[in-house]
Amino acid sequence: MKKTKDKQTKKSGMQLTPYEKGILVGEGFITAGIIALLYYSAYQIFQFLVSAFPSFFEDFWFFGDLFLEMKDQSLLEVNPFIYIFLILLAIVAIIWRLRRRYRNYEIRHIISELHYIAQGHFEHRIPASNDTDLQEFIDSIHVLVDSTVAAMEEERRIEQTKDELITNVSHDIRTPLTSIIGYLGLVEEKRHTTLEEGYGYIHTAYKKARQMKRLVDDLFEYTTVRQTDTPLNIIQFDMIQLLEQLVIDFQIEAENAGMEIEIEAPVDRYIMEGDSEKLVRVFSNLLSNALKYGRNGKHIIIAVKPLANNYIQIIIKNDGDPIPKEALEQLFERFYRAEMSRSQASTSTGLGLAIAKSIVTLHAGTITADTSPAWTEFIIELPKTVKEK
């Protein structure tokens, strides 16, 4: 609130102080006096030269008679046109000098405003100037301040993301680790009554250990693909064949979930370039999500559509329960799904969609989600050719 008041106080504009106004007025009078003395001195010297060399000035073009006439006149008695010209010249000189002084004051005010911004009032804006050069300077300061604020906000966001990442990873690792220690502790203390019961404890600990490994593997992959300079192993491959192979791989899992996976494509082949291994991870994550969270659904459809701009669109949709509209914007954030479904699917790391988005971004593509009562869709658009990093 205090900062808002400060901002409103400083918003009054780049106005001169009474002291500065007094200096300007005084300097105007002083400049006028100096010009008057210069005019008088110059006129005295001119009259002396005309008296000393009358023949020279007499033959001086068509001004000869005028010069000889001015020899015996005072400064106030000269030709009115010359008098008006001298007054206009004096006014121009006074205005020029006052503008320079005013410009210096403006620069001082800009420096003062800049110090005010540097104290943390980053939303403050320096008042506009009528001087084009100074206005460009002011605009440059605003651009610099805005970029600095954006960089600071980005740094804070990154730090917050790191803290949240550590918190979520610690939580997800601690849960299975506690179970592993507990079950192995029962075995260590021989608190099982039969050998089969002991094997059950060990098996449960083993499953929890594999869950931890999946989390660590996903976390490692997430941090890797998040880097913009992550190298891609670019090869040529058939997208249709890749998707058909994925459908075969997920066939048993789909049957167990009571769902059917189909591919809809207008072509039998579509040759493109990309890192096929990473793209397989994208589609595997989306199919796994559709099988895991597409409850009450019976169909998963993979729709392939070549686009006119040398892109290909792949839509993976299921007719299960729709995703809440408010969840769509956060769907690709790391750990978001894990937070939503921890009680329902504790084996989920919540990094699958975040990894998918990062891989698609590395391929200069886009991935979005949409939902309706009929279908939940994940829309991917990829370029046919990807430049190798």
Side-chain angles (χ1 to χ4, degrees):
M1 190 70 182
K2 183 178 184 298
K3 183 180 288 189
T4 304
K5 290 182 178 179
D6 291 341
K7 180 181 175 183
Q8 291 175 349
T9 301
K10 295 290 288 184
K11 199 66 177 178
S12 57
M14 196 180 300
Q15 298 180 353
L16 297 182
T17 65
Y19 173 77
E20 291 170 339
K21 292 178 180 178
I23 293 294
L24 279 178
V25 172
E27 186 159 347
F29 282 110
I30 292 174
T31 303
I34 292 174
I35 292 175
L37 289 175
L38 286 175
Y39 280 171
Y40 180 77
S41 301
Y43 191 70
Q44 293 296 320
I45 295 172
F46 173 76
Q47 284 184 320
F48 172 77
L49 292 175
V50 172
S51 300
F53 307 100
S55 58
F56 172 79
F57 286 94
E58 185 178 0
D59 299 332
F60 200 87
W61 296 329
F62 54 87
F63 292 109
D65 295 339
L66 178 64
F67 289 158
L68 293 177
E69 182 182 343
M70 293 171 59
K71 179 181 65 173
D72 300 322
Q73 293 177 336
S74 66
L75 183 59
L76 298 177
E77 297 173 342
V78 297
N79 190 291
F81 294 104
I82 297 178
Y83 196 68
I84 292 173
F85 172 76
L86 292 177
I87 291 177
L88 291 177
L89 189 63
I91 293 174
V92 170
I94 293 171
I95 292 175
W96 176 79
R97 184 170 178 82
L98 293 182
R99 281 182 60 84
R100 285 194 59 185
R101 175 64 68 178
Y102 182 79
R103 181 187 174 92
N104 290 337
Y105 284 145
E106 275 196 311
I107 293 175
R108 291 183 184 179
H109 279 265
I110 291 173
I111 294 173
S112 175
E113 298 278 338
L114 190 56
H115 288 167
Y116 179 77
I117 293 174
Q119 293 173 2
H121 306 89
F122 299 116
E123 296 181 357
H124 178 67
R125 287 295 175 265
I126 301 174
S129 171
N130 294 325
D131 190 303
T132 304
D133 294 335
L134 286 182
Q135 186 57 47
E136 290 180 358
F137 179 63
I138 292 172
D139 293 338
S140 299
I141 290 176
H142 291 162
V143 171
L144 178 60
V145 171
D146 290 342
S147 61
T148 302
V149 171
M152 292 170 60
E153 291 294 333
E154 179 67 13
E155 185 176 353
R156 277 196 289 264
R157 188 191 65 79
I158 291 174
E159 288 299 322
Q160 183 180 3
T161 300
K162 288 180 181 178
D163 293 341
E164 292 176 357
L165 186 62
I166 293 173
T167 301
N168 288 323
V169 170
S170 300
H171 181 280
D172 284 2
I173 287 181
R174 183 173 55 186
T175 302
L177 184 59
T178 301
S179 298
I180 292 171
I181 294 174
Y183 283 109
L184 291 182
L186 294 175
V187 176
E188 176 71 18
E189 297 170 5
K190 297 182 175 56
R191 294 173 61 179
H192 52 283
T193 56
T194 63
L195 190 60
E196 288 75 13
E197 187 179 6
Y199 284 149
Y201 292 160
I202 295 174
H203 179 67
T204 303
Y206 173 72
K207 289 195 300 182
K208 296 296 182 180
R210 287 182 62 86
Q211 180 183 338
M212 285 181 57
K213 184 179 184 303
R214 280 195 298 272
L215 175 62
V216 172
D217 290 344
D218 282 354
L219 181 62
F220 176 77
E221 184 172 6
Y222 171 73
T223 55
T224 300
V225 298
R226 284 279 291 176
Q227 301 173 13
T228 56
D229 57 349
T230 299
L232 295 175
N233 182 23
I234 305 298
I235 62 170
Q236 277 195 344
F237 66 95
D238 184 354
M239 176 59 78
I240 306 298
Q241 184 181 14
L242 182 147
L243 294 173
E244 289 175 346
Q245 183 61 49
L246 275 173
V247 171
I248 295 173
D249 294 340
F250 279 87
Q251 195 65 47
I252 296 177
E253 189 176 347
E255 291 176 358
N256 293 335
M259 303 183 77
E260 182 180 355
I261 306 177
E262 300 177 10
I263 295 180
E264 296 179 353
V267 294
D268 296 329
R269 300 183 65 198
Y270 189 87
I271 305 299
M272 60 180 292
E273 294 181 358
D275 190 326
S276 59
E277 292 186 5
K278 285 185 169 60
L279 290 175
V280 164
R281 179 62 190 270
V282 172
F283 300 126
S284 296
N285 287 347
L286 294 178
L287 288 174
S288 296
N289 274 9
L291 290 170
K292 188 177 299 182
Y293 304 113
R295 299 175 184 83
N296 302 320
K298 298 297 181 183
H299 298 90
I300 297 176
I301 296 178
I302 305 175
V304 182
K305 179 183 178 182
L307 302 178
N309 57 354
N310 215 23
Y311 271 64
I312 183 173
Q313 183 185 76
I314 302 104
I315 300 177
I316 298 180
K317 59 183 181 179
N318 68 84
D319 57 354
D321 294 340
I323 300 173
K325 287 284 187 180
E326 61 272 11
L328 288 178
E329 293 183 1
Q330 306 176 63
L331 203 56
F332 295 98
E333 294 182 6
R334 76 280 173 279
F335 289 109
Y336 181 72
R337 293 294 288 176
E339 293 298 331
M340 286 181 59
S341 59
R342 183 168 276 123
S343 61
Q344 302 165 348
S346 60
T347 59
S348 172
T349 64
L351 292 170
L353 293 179
I355 291 173
K357 181 177 181 180
S358 297
I359 293 175
V360 171
T361 301
L362 285 175
H363 283 77
T366 60
I367 178 170
T368 55
D370 194 12
T371 187
S372 67
W375 295 99
T376 295
E377 298 181 336
F378 288 88
I379 304 103
I380 301 171
E381 292 188 3
L382 294 168
K384 187 175 182 179
T385 303
V386 180
K387 293 183 180 180
E388 193 167 355
K389 295 181 180 295

